[in-house]
Amino acid sequence: MASRYNHREVEPKWRARWADAKIDRALSPDEAKGKPKAYVLEMFPYPSGRIHVGHSRNYTMGDVIARFRRANGYNVLHPMGWDAFGLPAENAAMERGIHPKGWTYDNIAAMKSQLKLLGLAIDWDREIATCDPSYYKHQQAIFLAFWKQGLVYRKKQKVNWDPVDMTVLANEQVVDGKGWRSGAPVETRELEQWMFKVTAYAEDLLQAIGGLDKWPDKVRLMQSNWIGKSQGAKIWWPIAEAPAFLPSSPAGEPNHARDPIEVYTTRPDTLFGASFLALAPDHPLTKAIAEHNPEVAKFIAEAASLGTSEADIEKAPKFGVDLGVRVKHPFDENWVLPVWAANFVLSTYGTGAIFGSPAGDQRDLDFANKYRLPFKPVVLPPGADPATHTITTEAYTDDGTTYNSQFLDGLPTREALSRAIDELVKRKRGEATTQWRLRDWGVSRQRYWGCPIPAIHCEKCGVVPVLEKDLPVTLPEDVKFDRPGNPLAHHPTWKHTTCPTCGGKAERETDTLDTFVDSSWYFARFTDPKNESQPFDKALANYWLPVDQYVGGIEHAVLHLLYSRFFTRGLRDCGLLDLPSGEPFASLFTQGMVVHETYKSAAGQWLLPEETDVKDGARVELKTGAPVQVGDIEKMSKSKKNVVDLDAFVTDFGADVARWFVLSDSPPERDVEWTASGVKGAWGFVQRVWTLVESYGQNAPKPDAVAPAMEPDAHALRQLAHRTVAAVTDDIEGFRFNVAVARSYELVNAIAKLKSTDAGSMFARGEALRILAQLIAPFMPHLAEESWEKLGFNPFVATAPWPKADPALAARTTVTLPIQVNGKKRGEIEAAKGAAEADVREQALAHPSVAQFLAGQTVRKVIVVPDRIVNIVVG
RNA sequence: GCGAGCGUGGCGAAACCUGGUAGACGCAACGGACUUAAAAUCCGUUUCCCGUAAGGGAGUGCGGGUUCAAUUCCCGCCGCUCGCACCA
């Protein structure tokens, strides 16, 4: 009687043996001796507490790739670390009086032991935590290097202020006008901010997306949109009339009072269709006029009172006010247009001012119609009659032929665009320009638990960098969280220092860096994690980078991935890295989440899955027996309690079952629902494999063993095994883990089906089991290792070379050809692979059930697709 | 509003890249074996309709098109999901 597979003994045993043998250690370039390198990385976790089975999917996918690459002869770097700075640590400190550092390191310890349970092939010697001075010291050095390089600057600007978290947010961290973490409506404040000059690389960041051919199209598109390049023209409109109260223009101040008004447009070809100018509510001129004109002041207040959320914008009516200013048309001194302020003009894009060309823009058209501003169409759609074409409520925004436009008449839109710009330049009324949606990255955060910005404020010398020899600027440990705001600023002594330039009294910068900075270069630190003197050795980073396979969630499609791309460029330009492409991640995979049903008690409390049970087809609360409200299937999250704890699960079912399950059933990029029945399936598979292995025993044939003569059944199993090798190899390469899983089931089913015990069958079965153990090794490493040993091989399957399919066995010698009559299948024949078309044709026509359908009909055509199909056309 | 993706049995899905037997594999369900019984395990059935069967018909969101042949390619709808969003 076969004993059950005991994962509780087997799994820890192999993890200990792998650790002892250090099989997961990445080799140095010298040790690797010509082996190709493979850097496999999953986005590192924030140490929030405990991990649940939902987290395991991301790491398991990376682990499959890492193990697969290793078996295929690569020198693999597969590290793990902790994105350890961040607000939750401070919140815990405030709520529970724990120090953020203690909270963070406790969580790291807990999560590390949990992650280890999964049996991931990780080189733990390279572990890093971003909150450790040994890490952020180098981040401060990089900051100084960027500063020197002109990639860091300070700017007083309006910032997004999160009133709950009491800190500044980057544009990217504002979602629907709310803080991405707190969910509180974001306020606007003017603050002196540390900025990273991301826009210095705008063009490169955009162009290089074209070379990221192993990134999902979706992510590439999202980044392109985010960078948002738009080409057009700036146009200056001289003031013709203005209210008397406006002061005359001080020299050199654009957009003010009586200077020409600068607008941005992508459609200078429609200038002759201009009807009005519209300024943003907070445009300097609008504000200046509001001081004297109550109607305009009222308009500004009304515009500000409208929300900025999607729904608000959708509903918000377009409205405006005539500012009483008139401007001259750039192409015609005598043509005077009114200047309005309008709520749909954004001060944050372009110049905060537009010219309205109603026939070619829906918003402008709605606005013109509402306020009865005259306009005329200037773009003729293809095929339209210039004599009758009119625009009433529907703007025509596509290309066409320009008309009603003097010297632009008759030009196609594209040509009219460049002609119009040429003319603007000639008349000194405008110039070609490129607008970016991308903004520089404000990195100042008024928080404690982050990387201190290595700068010093001196009354005499201004803002000066900390000397490199004085790094790291470490966080003080004795901080209090008893009042809102930045504990660093409140600290009694920490910020007091001396100026490195003049030696006088000075104060430290109390802002810390946005935690996205920490994660923008960690992948480089992994290449040389112990380096004390520099962020990383250039040669080592050059050897390992770019990351060959990056795995993580789609939620980082813009922020983290864009910032990292900025960083590798900055590091390159500071001479710290030679990365030919400039790109940190050669290949990116965005995996789907693990989702689970949510449960609520009758009292409306969220319930953990294990607090419920199914009785008589209905879900009830275990404790009370009361019915449970089953809610939506959502991403596993602690707040909704729809999580399955990893420790408990590994104890009950084993890490291999968790790993296998999260990769089965659903394509990796799609979400997978965690269900009890799915677990059961994975569990059953583990037992089934083990039963087959154990009953086979020690003497599986070695890879080079010569096969004895065998019965057709046994031979068929051999063929299937070798075909499965080829198929699973392809599937793993192509991230089709769910299909690889299905093929493993097929192989197991076939092994179980072959019952004979003659020498040929034993050979075929043993070989198939050996292959099976190897193919499932990246997925279920513990079971595979135990099976490998049981079958009589030396440890470790983890380091054994990946099996090779014998082409002679994997290739099919005969094929089943379906025979269609007029596209409907009417029979099938067996034919040798590559059989002559004439023979196949003859066989097909002679097939009895096919012949039935041919009777009394004329065969018009016989299509023979070699080795695929035969179609007989009759009629 | 703009952009992208998806739509296949009771369910998760495969086949789509490269047009060629639609539904691999798993789950669930049903029938059977073993068992005092249950669990576990094993064997079988399972897209729908007609038929005892042999067999026939329909079928990949809907409507068209290309083709000997369309889940696959093209056009137009419908629905869902995601991203961006008054970006001039």
Side-chain angles (χ1 to χ4, degrees), chain A residues 550-567:
Chain A
Y550 200 33
V551 185
I554 185 81
E555 67 273 19
H556 291 111
V558 178
L559 304 185
H560 162 58
L561 292 170
L562 189 66
Y563 293 152
S564 298
R565 297 181 63 219
F566 161 72
F567 251 73

Side-chain angles (χ1 to χ4, degrees), chain A residues 611-750:
Chain A
E611 293 172 324
T612 72
D613 198 11
V614 176
K615 278 211 177 99
D616 304 325
R619 195 164 280 272
V620 295
E621 192 173 348
L622 215 51
K623 215 163 44 182
T624 61
V628 164
Q629 202 184 322
V630 178
D632 291 341
I633 298 167
E634 294 186 46
K635 178 191 171 184
M636 279 194 182
S637 75
K638 273 197 278 188
S639 60
K640 300 217 167 139
K641 287 202 173 181
N642 59 340
V643 292
V644 175
D645 185 70
L646 187 70
D647 293 33
F649 186 84
V650 168
T651 304
D652 290 348
F653 296 96
D656 284 341
V657 171
R659 294 173 57 119
W660 189 252
F661 175 59
V662 293
L663 298 179
S664 329
D665 291 348
S666 271
E669 67 276 13
R670 229 181 276 179
D671 290 348
V672 64
E673 190 191 348
W674 185 276
T675 59
S677 58
V679 169
K680 201 183 127 198
W683 167 259
F685 182 70
V686 169
Q687 298 301 333
R688 202 150 171 240
V689 169
W690 180 246
T691 307
L692 290 170
V693 166
E694 210 195 20
S695 62
Y696 188 86
Q698 283 282 324
N699 298 309
K702 305 282 180 268
D704 54 0
V706 177
M710 59 182 70
E711 298 291 310
D713 280 4
H715 186 69
L717 177 60
R718 287 201 78 196
Q719 288 183 307
L720 177 70
H722 283 264
R723 276 203 289 272
T724 305
V725 169
V728 168
T729 305
D730 271 8
D731 290 336
I732 294 176
E733 291 275 10
F735 268 85
R736 290 183 297 270
F737 301 135
N738 56 323
V739 183
V741 164
R743 297 201 204 280
S744 306
Y745 276 106
E746 278 179 296
L747 183 56
V748 167
N749 288 344

Side-chain angles (χ1 to χ4, degrees), chain A residues 191-250:
Chain A
L191 280 180
E192 187 90 9
Q193 288 290 293
W194 289 94
M195 308 292 293
F196 276 174
K197 205 166 184 180
V198 181
T199 53
Y201 298 105
E203 187 71 54
D204 185 25
L205 287 168
L206 181 69
Q207 291 307 319
I209 290 171
L212 295 173
D213 55 344
K214 291 181 191 161
W215 280 38
D217 288 345
K218 184 183 172 128
V219 175
R220 299 201 299 171
L221 188 72
M222 283 166 72
Q223 291 226 346
S224 298
N225 290 342
W226 192 264
I227 294 168
K229 183 179 185 175
S230 145
Q231 279 174 308
K234 277 184 201 163
I235 302 173
W236 304 301
W237 303 67
I239 307 272
E241 294 167 37
F245 54 74
L246 279 181
S248 52
S249 170

Side-chain angles (χ1 to χ4, degrees), chain A residues 289-568:
Chain A
I289 294 172
E291 285 173 24
H292 301 270
N293 182 334
E295 213 185 323
V296 175
K298 194 175 142 221
F299 158 82
I300 293 176
E302 273 171 24
S305 73
L306 286 174
T308 51
S309 77
E310 292 173 33
D312 291 338
I313 288 164
E314 198 85 10
K315 277 182 290 176
K318 292 179 188 13
F319 62 90
V321 62
D322 188 340
L323 292 175
V325 177
R326 298 291 176 266
V327 288
K328 296 179 195 166
H329 193 277
F331 290 150
D332 183 352
E333 289 280 313
N334 299 318
W335 182 356
V336 168
L337 292 91
V339 179
W340 288 61
N343 67 327
F344 64 89
V345 180
L346 303 174
S347 63
T348 51
Y349 186 81
T351 61
I354 62 157
F355 81 84
S357 188
D361 184 290
Q362 194 59 46
R363 285 160 311 171
D364 296 350
L365 182 62
D366 293 345
F367 193 78
N369 282 335
K370 177 164 180 177
Y371 293 104
R372 303 187 182 284
L373 301 168
F375 64 89
K376 64 182 178 198
V378 287
V379 179
L380 193 62
D385 178 356
T388 57
H389 178 67
T390 53
I391 297 281
T392 52
T393 58
E394 198 90 353
Y396 179 75
T397 57
D398 291 339
D399 287 6
T401 307
T402 311
Y403 74 130
N404 288 337
S405 296
Q406 299 183 19
F407 56 86
L408 298 177
D409 279 355
L411 293 176
T413 297
R414 295 299 120 188
E415 286 175 37
L417 274 170
S418 45
R419 178 69 208 282
I421 291 172
D422 289 348
E423 202 68 27
L424 283 167
V425 171
K426 206 161 87 188
R427 300 181 191 212
K428 297 197 166 45
R429 286 280 188 268
E431 64 188 20
T433 184
T434 303
Q435 278 294 325
W436 302 90
R437 192 180 168 280
L438 183 71
R439 296 297 148 76
D440 282 335
W441 176 15
V443 292
S444 288
R445 296 294 179 273
Q446 292 68 41
R447 308 301 314 181
Y448 164 72
W449 195 231
C451 172
I453 293 177
I456 289 170
H457 300 264
C458 171
E459 272 186 30
K460 269 190 271 174
C461 311
V463 185
V464 294
V466 170
L467 298 178
E468 190 134 358
K469 71 171 175 61
D470 294 335
L471 297 183
V473 177
T474 49
L475 289 167
E477 303 223 349
D478 53 335
V479 280
K480 292 199 181 107
F481 295 91
D482 49 2
R483 55 172 159 156
N486 184 354
L488 283 181
H490 304 153
H491 192 277
T493 57
W494 182 79
K495 68 181 169 188
H496 301 299
T497 185
T498 50
C499 172
T501 310
C502 71
K505 266 195 179 177
E507 285 196 359
R508 290 191 184 285
E509 171 63 60
T510 58
D511 284 355
T512 51
L513 289 171
D514 182 0
T515 55
F516 274 100
V517 177
D518 310 340
S519 55
S520 293
W521 69 285
Y522 79 106
F523 47 87
R525 180 67 182 172
F526 275 137
T527 67
D528 190 14
K530 302 275 197 288
N531 198 324
E532 286 180 20
S533 61
Q534 44 184 342
F536 42 81
D537 178 80
K538 195 168 167 180
L540 282 172
N542 289 346
Y543 170 75
W544 285 112
L545 291 176
V547 174
D548 295 282
Q549 183 63 61
Y550 200 33
V551 185
I554 185 81
E555 67 273 19
H556 291 111
V558 178
L559 304 185
H560 162 58
L561 292 170
L562 189 66
Y563 293 152
S564 298
R565 297 181 63 219
F566 161 72
F567 251 73
T568 45

